[in-house]
Each structure stands twice: as C-alpha cells, then as structure tokens.
Amino acid sequence: MLALRLVRGTHPLVLLRRLLVATAAAGVGFLLLCTLGYAVGHPADSAASTLRLLWCLIPMAATVQFAVAVARTDPSTRPRPGLSAVGLGPARLTAIAAASTAVSCTLGSMVALLFYLHLRGDITGLPFDGAAAELLAADQPIPLPAALTLLAILPVVASTAAALALRPRKSVPVEGAERAAPAGLPWGVALLAVGLAVETYAGQGGEGGALPLPGRFEGSPAGVLIGWILTALGLAMAGPGITHWCGRLLQSARPGATRLLAGRVLMSESRRIGRPLGVVCAVASGGLAAATLYDAGTGDFGPLTGLGAALVMACTMATLLTTALESKQCREHTTEALLRLGAPPTVLRTAALLRAGALLAVFLPVTWLVAALAAVPLR
C-alpha cells in the first residue's frame, strides 16, 4: 500500500519511466504467451517450443536490466533524513523499490494477457479477419495456469534483481581504487575473441546444427549464435574497462581543467556506465550483423523476431540513458560544490561534451569492427 501511495505522489518523469518498464514487460509477456500458443498448437514439436522459450530470455534479460536501472534512479527509494525515524530505513526502502518494480511488471504482464486473448478472439471474436489465428493457435484452448505462470516469471525476477541491486551495503574505501583498471577488461577481451573465433569456425561448418530464431529465420548454425552470445558477454565485461581508459586518455598530454574534470568523471563512473555501454555496443553490433544477413537474402525475419529485437534495442538504450541520469544524480553534490567555488557552467557543459565525444570516438569503431567480424561468416 505504501508503494502505491508513493507511486501516486511521484514526479511525472518517474511515472513515465515506470510506464516504459510496464510497456517492455507487456512485450516480453506477449512473446511468452506466443511461445505457449506455439507449444499448444504443436504438441509433437517440443524441441522447437523449448527453443522459442529460451529465445524469450534475451528480451527478458534486457527488460530486467532496464527495470533495475529505473529502480536505482527512483527518488522515492533514496534514504532521506527523517525517514528512518518513521521506520523507513534502507532495508524498507529497498523492499518498496522491489514492490514498485513488481507492480510495474505485473501491470505490463496483465496488459499482454488481455491483448493476447483479444488477438485470439477469446474476448470479442477474431480481429483483423483472423490474420493472427494461426500464429496464436486460436483454435486450441490456452491453459490459464500455464499462462499465468509464464507471466509471473518477469515480475518475480525483476523485483528480486532490484532488491539485490539496491540492498544496503557497507562501502569500504580503498586507496587508489578510482585510478585502478576494472578487472573485467582482460576477461572481456578474451571472451570477445573466443566468441568471434567460435562464430567464424561455426560459419564454415555448413548447414548442420541449425538453431532457428522464433519467427521465420531458418538455417542459422548453432555455433554462430553461441559465438554471438559470447561476443555480447565479452563486450559487456569489457565496457567498464574501456570507459575507464577513455577517461585516462582525456587526461593525457598536459590536460587543462576541463579535460581533467571530464576524465576524472569518466574514471569514477566507469563501473556504473561502462556495462550498459558495452551491452548497447553488443546489441548494435549484432543488429548490424543481422542486417548484413538480411541484405544477403539468407534470412527472413518474422513478426516475433522483430518484436524481440525491438524490445532488446529499446531496453538497452533506455537502460543506458537511465544510467546516465543516475550518474548525473550522484554527481549533484560535486556539481554544486564546483559552482559554489566559482566554476562557470560552460566548463561543466564542455566537460560533458568531452565525455560523450570520447565515448563515441572509442565505442563506435569498436561496434563497427565487431559487427564486421561477426558478419564475415554470414556472407
């Protein structure tokens, strides 16, 4: 009840972010229900049904990441003076954030269920002249307990992830920790190289081991897709390290105050914004490689594949923007202190532009290079 009252009194932009989480949850719920409909309509093809369910985990993971980022930027779940006196300490605020995340995801899942039943004709008859009847197995009854179980997965996972991400921690300051390279860079580069090697090797292996995407995208070797997954994990692991070195480069060669400020901010925020940047880089490179496959005429993307790809791209970009907002909120005290000391606002804006330019100058070539290497075995 307290979580619902906090929702009513929050800022409209916060409500918009929660509405976006609900929208993404609705898309994931619709994909899960379509997978259930395929399983009901093809009871003898359990392997394909399991495969479609596994492919739904990718947009679900992107949605959970976005939901956690929104929960971290929610101002109603931040410790404030006086809240502990009324029993709203860090642990209780974490529970409220998890409950708010569960409410948003549950709302989206219920919308997905209503829309799915409407397209099947279970509410008001078949719409669109029955165009989606075959895709949604409209001639077969849908087991409601199974549908509700599938729809409950995302709210449970997202709320648990939000609770784990926002749980109270004891921060132990370590001398020189801000200037150290995040430890994931070497492992990320190694995993990226392994993924590209696996993808290249599997791309030369012919048509064996096909692992089709849901929708109409046949003939993709299983090894190529495994290589894509390893490449994405490697970029996500290497993102904080690459961001940290971008900050180091900005401070090289006798930096002025603006470059020094921009570089120090990138170094201190590398762990927060580096991983979403790596994920966006991985998704963009995969999208470019898939576009190459489509242009070559060897792939046919169905409606469910397009919906899943749109969900992944939208959620990863929204997560990056939300994380950037969180980073800005964490620097509010530093920004206010600089302004009180007489720093002109143009210096802060120029430093922000320098940070964005440095990240684009490094991550865009990396994205293009990975996409080009990933597309080689597909041609």
Side-chain angles (χ1 to χ4, degrees), residues 28-177:
V28 174
F30 185 76
L31 288 177
L32 291 173
L33 291 175
C34 289
T35 301
L36 178 61
Y38 182 86
V40 171
H42 304 79
D45 198 358
S46 59
S49 301
T50 304
L51 180 62
R52 288 170 176 261
L53 183 62
L54 292 178
W55 273 113
C56 292
L57 296 180
I58 298 178
M60 181 183 293
T63 303
V64 169
Q65 183 191 26
F66 178 43
V68 171
V70 169
R72 292 174 64 96
T73 57
D74 194 341
S76 63
T77 59
R78 292 182 180 179
R80 292 188 295 271
L83 290 181
S84 297
V86 295
L88 293 179
R92 185 66 63 85
L93 291 178
T94 300
I96 292 175
S100 300
T101 303
V103 168
S104 299
C105 294
T106 302
L107 175 63
S109 297
M110 291 300 102
V111 171
L113 179 60
L114 292 176
F115 185 66
Y116 179 78
L117 294 177
H118 172 66
L119 290 181
R120 279 175 46 89
D122 295 335
I123 299 178
T124 58
L126 281 173
F128 308 114
D129 297 329
E134 182 179 358
L135 179 64
L136 305 181
D139 56 339
Q140 299 289 336
I142 291 295
L144 187 59
L148 295 179
T149 301
L150 285 177
L151 292 176
I153 294 176
L154 180 60
V156 171
V157 174
S159 59
T160 303
L164 292 176
L166 297 175
R167 69 186 186 275
R169 299 185 183 91
K170 291 184 178 180
S171 59
V172 180
V174 180
E175 184 177 357

Side-chain angles (χ1 to χ4, degrees), residues 144-228:
L144 187 59
L148 295 179
T149 301
L150 285 177
L151 292 176
I153 294 176
L154 180 60
V156 171
V157 174
S159 59
T160 303
L164 292 176
L166 297 175
R167 69 186 186 275
R169 299 185 183 91
K170 291 184 178 180
S171 59
V172 180
V174 180
E175 184 177 357
E178 183 178 330
R179 296 188 61 85
L185 180 58
W187 292 103
V189 173
L191 197 58
L192 173 62
V194 170
L196 291 174
V198 169
E199 183 180 348
T200 303
Y201 179 78
Q204 300 173 354
E207 297 296 330
L211 185 61
L213 288 165
R216 294 181 306 274
F217 187 34
E218 306 291 340
S220 297
V224 173
L225 299 175
I226 294 174
W228 278 1

Side-chain angles (χ1 to χ4, degrees), residues 256-354:
T258 306
R259 279 204 295 139
L260 185 63
L261 176 62
R264 295 292 289 182
V265 169
L266 273 185
M267 290 173 61
S268 63
E269 300 292 335
S270 61
R271 288 177 174 84
R272 178 178 286 112
I273 66 174
R275 195 173 301 278
L277 271 173
V279 173
V280 169
C281 182
V283 171
S285 61
L288 291 175
T292 301
L293 178 64
Y294 183 79
D295 292 338
T298 57
D300 187 11
F301 294 92
L304 300 184
T305 303
L307 175 60
L311 277 175
V312 171
M313 290 186 290
C315 287
T316 51
M317 285 301 301
T319 301
L320 179 59
L321 295 176
T322 306
T323 307
L325 176 62
E326 179 191 3
S327 176
K328 181 180 179 181
Q329 292 174 349
C330 293
R331 296 195 310 269
E332 286 181 353
H333 297 293
T334 304
T335 303
E336 293 174 357
L338 289 174
L339 293 176
R340 285 196 303 267
L341 291 175
T346 54
V347 172
L348 301 179
R349 288 193 291 267
T350 305
L353 291 177
L354 283 176

